[in-house]
Amino acid sequence: MSADPFDCIFIEGLQCQAVIGIHPSERLKPQTLRLDLWMHWPISAAARSENIADTLDYQSVSEATIELVQTGQFLLVETLAERLAEELMQRYGIQWLRIRVTKPEAIAAASGVGVMIERGQRPHS
C-alpha cells in the first residue's frame, strides 16, 4: 500500500484574546489575535470509517489553542507561535504544522501583522 498523500486539516481565522506585546499599553488588557493552523494529518482512514477517532479533531485542537493563548502571557507573537506549535505537536502527535498568528489591531494602517512558522517534517506525496 502506498503512503498517504499530503493531507491537511486546517483551522482558519480562529479568534482568541491574549495579553501580548512589549509595549506597556499592550499589557493592560487582552488583544484579539487571529490564528490560522494547517496540520498534516492523513484523512483516508477517517474518510472510510466516518469515525472522529480516526482523524484529528479540529474542535479539540481549537479548544486547546484558545486555552493556551488565553492563559499564557507573551511578549512576542514569535514566542506564542513556538509554544503553540510545541504543545499541539506533542499533544496530538502532529508531524508537521504551519501556524500564522495575526495581530489585527497592532498597526493602524495595516489589516494585520504577525508571524507564520512551519515546524516538523512535511511529508512528500
Side-chain angles (χ1 to χ4, degrees):
M1 179 177 237
S2 64
D4 283 316
F6 183 78
D7 297 336
C8 193
I9 291 177
F10 69 91
I11 301 167
E12 187 174 291
L14 185 64
Q15 301 231 1
C16 306
Q17 296 293 310
V19 175
I20 190 163
I22 59 169
H23 302 292
S25 62
E26 294 179 296
R27 313 284 317 150
L28 296 176
K29 64 179 184 160
Q31 300 176 55
T32 299
L33 298 180
R34 188 174 61 244
L35 286 88
D36 301 300
L37 299 95
W38 297 268
M39 301 155 286
H40 167 66
W41 198 268
I43 66 166
S44 58
R48 285 189 299 273
S49 71
E50 293 199 84
N51 186 333
I52 191 71
D54 291 332
T55 192
L56 181 60
D57 181 348
Y58 52 77
Q59 180 173 345
S60 177
V61 172
S62 297
E63 290 169 357
T65 298
I66 290 168
E67 179 182 349
L68 184 131
V69 171
Q70 290 184 164
T71 59
Q73 294 209 5
F74 306 98
L75 295 177
L76 300 174
V77 291
E78 291 85 346
T79 306
L80 169 59
E82 284 288 348
R83 289 202 186 135
L84 182 58
E86 290 169 9
E87 175 68 22
L88 294 178
M89 292 176 82
Q90 180 180 23
R91 185 181 296 192
Y92 296 98
I94 299 166
Q95 299 300 307
W96 173 90
L97 57 71
R98 176 185 293 154
I99 297 173
R100 180 170 55 200
V101 180
T102 304
K103 289 175 70 174
E105 300 166 7
I107 305 291
S111 63
V113 298
V115 299
M116 182 167 55
I117 65 170
E118 287 187 25
R119 296 295 178 264
Q121 185 65 36
R122 183 177 176 152
H124 302 317
S125 49

